[in-house]
Amino acid sequence: MPTTAAIPLGDRGAGGEGGTRLLADRAYERLVRKITRLEAPPGSVLVERDLMEEFGIGRTPIREAMQRLASERLVNHQPNRGMFVSEITASSVQEIYEFRAVVDGYAAFLAATRATAAQVAELARRHKRLLRAAEDEDIDDYVEADRAFYRLLAEAAHNALVSDTIPRIFNLHLRLWFFISEKAGGWQEIARAHEVMTLELVKAFESRDAQAARQAMESYVAGRVADIKRVL
C-alpha cells in the first residue's frame, strides 16, 4: 500500500494541557494511519521509545493516543509485555462485520427517512468525490472521502448513539478494507463495490426508501465478509 514520509508533529516539549492534547491527537492520527494501512502489521509491538523518536514528541501524548486506540480495539495491552497491534482473526472479523451490519444498516434505515434534503444532497456530492478519487487512483483522498461519507451518514440518522458509534468503528473496518485490498493485489475492485453501495444509498435516500437503504448497506457488508473469508 502507498506510504508517505514521516510528518513532523511539532515540538517535543510543547507544554500545557492544550499542547499535550494537540500532540496526542496528532499521534493518534499517525498511529491510525500506520495501523489501518498495515504499516504496523497485526500482532506487531508498539514501542513507546521508537514512536517518541519517530513522531518527535514525548511519552504522555503517545500513551494517550495508544489508550484511545485501545478503546477502539485497534491495539491491545498485554500486561508485562506492552502494547500490540490487534490481530486480524476469523473471530474478530466476524464480530466487526456482525456489528457493522446492525449499526450501519440501521443508520442507513434511519437516514432514509430522517436525513434533511441538504444532507441527502451532500451525500450525493460525497459519493461523486469517491468516484473522482478512484479515477485519480488517489488512495488518501479516497479514504478521507469515505470517512466523510460515513460521518455524514451517521449524522443523517439523527440518533446521538448512532452518530457516536459509526465514527468509532470506522477505523476497524478501514483496516480490514486495506487487508482485503492487499491480499487482492489492489484496492480498485473493492472500491467499485463500495461505490455501488454509496450510489444505492443515495438513490434510496432520495426516494425515502428505508428498506432499500438498509438492504444496500447489508449487502455491501455481506460482500466484504465473503471477501475476507477468501483471504483469511
Side-chain angles (χ1 to χ4, degrees):
M1 283 297 158
T3 59
T4 59
I7 302 169
L9 293 187
D11 183 5
R12 183 189 297 270
E17 184 177 346
T20 299
R21 170 54 51 198
L22 177 62
L23 292 176
D25 287 345
R26 292 179 179 174
Y28 167 82
E29 291 168 3
R30 283 288 302 281
L31 282 165
V32 163
R33 182 184 178 92
K34 285 173 68 72
I35 293 170
T36 58
R37 301 193 182 204
L38 311 176
E39 294 165 15
S44 61
V45 64
L46 297 171
V47 181
E48 278 186 3
R49 187 178 294 104
D50 293 346
L51 294 172
M52 290 166 61
E53 188 66 28
E54 180 181 352
F55 297 168
I57 60 175
R59 178 173 286 106
T60 298
I62 293 291
R63 287 186 173 176
E64 289 184 7
M66 289 203 286
Q67 288 168 359
R68 185 173 170 187
L69 291 166
S71 74
E72 295 178 7
R73 298 178 179 269
L74 282 171
V75 305
N76 65 80
H77 176 251
Q78 297 184 20
N80 303 317
R81 295 191 62 201
M83 285 286 198
F84 291 78
V85 178
S86 298
E87 296 278 9
I88 294 176
T89 64
S91 60
S92 68
V93 166
Q94 179 175 339
E95 289 176 356
I96 291 167
Y97 281 124
E98 285 176 349
F99 192 66
R100 280 199 65 198
V102 173
V103 176
D104 291 1
Y106 193 54
F109 179 86
L110 292 178
T113 55
R114 296 181 179 179
T116 66
Q119 286 174 325
V120 173
E122 181 60 27
L123 283 163
R125 284 190 289 271
R126 294 185 186 187
H127 162 73
K128 291 178 181 177
R129 181 184 169 191
L130 284 165
L131 295 179
R132 287 194 300 272
E135 290 171 359
D136 294 341
E137 297 188 349
D138 186 338
I139 187 62
D140 292 330
D141 192 44
Y142 195 92
V143 168
E144 288 312 306
D146 194 29
R147 191 184 297 277
F149 187 94
Y150 274 96
R151 186 183 300 118
L152 183 54
L153 171 65
E155 293 170 0
H158 293 276
N159 179 300
L161 295 176
V162 170
S163 295
D164 288 345
T165 301
I166 287 182
R168 284 176 57 83
I169 65 172
F170 180 85
N171 291 324
L172 283 173
H173 69 79
L174 179 62
R175 183 168 73 136
L176 295 180
W177 193 90
F178 274 102
F179 183 78
I180 295 168
S181 297
E182 181 179 82
K183 298 295 184 182
W187 60 278
Q188 291 287 350
E189 183 176 350
I190 191 172
R192 283 191 290 272
H194 186 274
E195 292 149 20
V196 169
M197 178 269 289
T198 57
L199 177 59
E200 289 178 351
L201 281 182
V202 169
K203 289 180 177 178
F205 295 156
E206 289 172 343
S207 62
R208 300 298 179 178
D209 189 334
Q211 291 296 345
R214 172 181 268 168
Q215 180 60 42
M217 182 63 79
E218 290 179 348
S219 294
Y220 173 73
V221 172
R224 304 296 68 73
V225 171
D227 287 341
I228 206 159
K229 282 182 176 178
R230 286 194 290 268
V231 300
L232 272 180

